[in-house]
């Protein structure tokens, strides 16, 4: 069964244990480059169990770093076959059991 579904809302400041178990250590969150038509920023969350992309919903609490996000895509790490990072390290392509997913990172 899937760990989560597109459209699920998660709290990035306290990720769900089902997707990112605390015994595996903290998940890494990376900002994705925002497309002109998007209002919210995108992120990729990488844990030992899953990789998830999501659109961040603006946080209303100043003490929270990330706030809530709506999941747009997810995949179990065991289903990822390869990750190809481009030369500039500004993007990557994930090859997985269900096809390919391009990621374009926010430049530092």
């Amino acid at each position: 069964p899937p760990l989560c579904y597109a459209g699920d809302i998660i709290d990035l400041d306290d990720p769900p244990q089902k997707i990112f178990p605390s015994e595996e250590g903290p998940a890494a969150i990376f900002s994705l480059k925002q497309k002109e038509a998007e209002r919210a920023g995108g992120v990729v969350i990488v844990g030992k169990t899953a990789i998830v992309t999501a659109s961040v919903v603006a946080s209303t609490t100043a003490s929270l770093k990330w706030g809530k996000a709506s999941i747009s895509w997810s995949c179990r790490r065991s289903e990822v076959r390869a990750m190809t990072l481009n030369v500039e390290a500004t993007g990557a392509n994930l090859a997985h059991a269900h096809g390919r997913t391009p990621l374009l990172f926010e430049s530092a």
Side-chain angles (χ1 to χ4, degrees):
L3 294 171
C4 56
Y5 295 94
D8 285 353
I9 303 293
I10 62 171
D11 185 347
L12 295 176
D13 296 305
D14 186 21
Q17 291 293 307
K18 179 181 174 185
I19 306 169
F20 304 105
S22 58
E23 62 269 8
E24 294 179 350
I29 301 174
F30 303 98
S31 294
L32 295 174
K33 187 165 184 155
Q34 189 171 336
K35 295 176 185 167
E36 289 182 33
E38 293 179 341
R39 291 184 183 169
V43 294
V44 60
I45 309 110
V46 181
K48 291 185 178 175
T49 299
I51 298 174
V52 173
T53 59
S55 296
V56 176
V57 179
S59 174
T60 56
T61 308
S63 63
L64 298 177
K65 182 177 178 185
W66 290 101
K68 305 242 183 233
S70 174
I71 293 174
S72 51
W73 174 84
S74 67
C75 184
R76 290 180 187 272
R77 286 280 298 262
S78 61
E79 296 175 338
V80 174
R81 295 182 180 139
M83 182 180 92
T84 306
L85 193 62
N86 68 13
V87 175
E88 300 85 16
T90 57
N93 271 303
L94 290 177
H96 48 81
H98 309 287
R100 293 186 178 274
T101 300
L103 302 172
L104 188 58
F105 303 112
E106 185 67 53
S107 57

